[in-house]
Amino acid sequence: METVLVTGGRGASGRWVVDRLAGDYEVVVVDYDHPGLGVDPAPNVSFRAADLAERGEALDIVAAVDPDAVVHWAAIPVAGTHPEGRVFEANALAAKNVLDAAGRADARIVQASSDGAYGFFFADPTPLPDELPITEDHPLRPEDPYGLSKVTAEAAAGAVARRHDVPAVSIRPSWIQYPGAYACRADEYVTDLDAGAGNFWSYVDVRDVADLVAAALAETGDGDAPVDPGTHEAVNCVAADNALGRPLLDLLREAYDGVPDDSAVDEGDDRGAYAIDKADRLFGWTPSRSWRDAADEEVAEPTLFE
């Protein structure tokens, strides 16, 4: 069984990623804090602690584990919760350190980027995209430290892939939702068009995110990865529909008084604003959850240890 090192695996979405992978891999979770030596880990799960923004710690921990693959999921997850410099420095340094270590270990790489890399959500005012749907080739124009840190992490992944001849994938989720607790269906969100306008009312279920991580890691029966060694690919990870269930073009006209000139979205289509064809083409992934079913779904949160 292969070993996958997952950074940030104890976080809100990271634990779902670990739970999804633990059936197929030995998963080593690396986080800032250790849960304690007395805990009983879930099957195929173990824990290490490290400050990944410290280069020596990141290099040491990855070298000690010597994983077949690295999933870099650790980050300060949103702007506005910490000083701007800390958000950028912590995220960019951790990504650079972990990805360099993964390259030296000849490990396949999957990392968490974000639709924040495009720069829409925290821009003031929010600009319309150049195109609809928004493909991975859309220019990245972040104004905030979080989005900038994700652009930097993606550039670091590309550099490591080229230098060490390993495959690297950056996954760009939109607003991650959790079954039974869909914040994008709260009354204050649904009744206020501006609440979701910054990311064009996009969202994704955490289980679909975990499924895409697994698909991006998987090798074929011939031992080949879906992405060629030496190559970095970024892919959107977004639900097929928008969080309000209304036609996307109507929402944009109401919120922004217009739609992009370059639009391939049909009138009446309640799709999300981001293209998801690339993830399907590379990994055979399409989102299978919608707020229509998952918002009230009762699913136990993964437990990584007792």
Side-chain angles (χ1 to χ4, degrees):
M1 182 178 286
E2 288 191 319
T3 298
V4 177
L5 184 150
V6 180
T7 71
R10 293 180 60 198
S13 61
R15 68 190 64 183
W16 292 83
V17 172
V18 172
D19 183 70
R20 174 64 177 81
L21 298 179
D24 301 313
Y25 304 93
E26 293 286 349
V27 181
V28 180
V29 178
V30 178
D31 228 312
Y32 192 78
D33 294 313
H34 194 283
L37 296 178
V39 303
D40 183 17
N44 299 331
V45 175
S46 61
F47 298 95
R48 306 284 182 95
D51 181 354
L52 299 172
E54 293 292 331
R55 187 166 180 81
E57 293 195 25
L59 295 177
D60 283 353
I61 202 78
V62 176
V65 174
D66 191 23
D68 298 284
V70 169
V71 176
H72 179 48
W73 216 256
I76 296 175
V78 67
T81 58
H82 297 76
E84 289 195 357
R86 182 179 174 192
V87 171
F88 176 77
E89 291 176 7
N91 290 355
L93 285 173
K96 170 64 173 168
N97 296 339
V98 171
L99 299 179
D100 279 351
R104 295 181 184 186
D106 195 31
R108 308 190 301 279
I109 293 170
V110 176
Q111 72 166 340
S113 184
S114 168
D115 66 335
Y118 293 107
F120 299 121
F121 191 82
F122 293 104
D124 186 19
T126 303
L128 278 174
D130 296 357
E131 61 180 359
L132 280 179
I134 302 161
T135 70
E136 289 84 354
D137 293 329
H138 190 286
L140 307 179
R141 305 180 181 121
E143 301 176 8
D144 64 283
Y146 176 74
L148 183 59
S149 75
K150 291 304 184 180
V151 173
T152 303
E154 290 193 15
V160 168
R162 292 186 295 271
R163 183 170 189 174
H164 295 283
D165 198 35
V166 296
V169 178
S170 294
I171 294 175
R172 295 175 181 168
S174 193
W175 188 17
I176 299 177
Q177 306 292 304
Y178 299 87
Y182 265 47
C184 67
R185 294 303 299 170
D187 289 343
E188 57 269 25
Y189 182 93
V190 174
T191 59
D192 180 6
L193 194 64
D194 290 340
N199 75 336
F200 314 116
W201 309 277
S202 298
Y203 74 98
V204 64
D205 190 285
V206 68
R207 294 166 295 176
D208 281 327
V209 176
D211 285 344
L212 182 50
V213 172
L217 280 178
E219 291 185 326
T220 67
D222 297 327
D224 294 328
V227 173
D228 291 334
T231 301
H232 168 251
E233 298 285 357
V235 292
N236 293 332
C237 181
V238 185
D241 57 357
N242 67 65
L244 298 185
R246 293 177 52 191
L248 178 62
L249 298 184
D250 290 353
L251 291 171
L252 288 169
R253 292 187 184 107
E254 188 173 339
Y256 294 104
D257 296 322
V259 300
D261 292 334
D262 183 5
S263 175
V265 174
D266 294 332
E267 295 288 347
D269 192 342
D270 71 347
R271 62 160 296 146
Y274 292 92
I276 52 177
D277 310 80
K278 185 176 180 181
D280 186 14
R281 184 175 72 253
L282 289 178
F283 310 118
W285 176 90
T286 55
S288 60
R289 286 91 175 179
S290 166
W291 61 265
R292 290 172 167 86
D293 301 312
D296 299 318
E297 192 175 359
E298 294 185 8
V299 178
E301 183 176 321
T303 301
L304 304 184
F305 58 85
E306 295 181 1

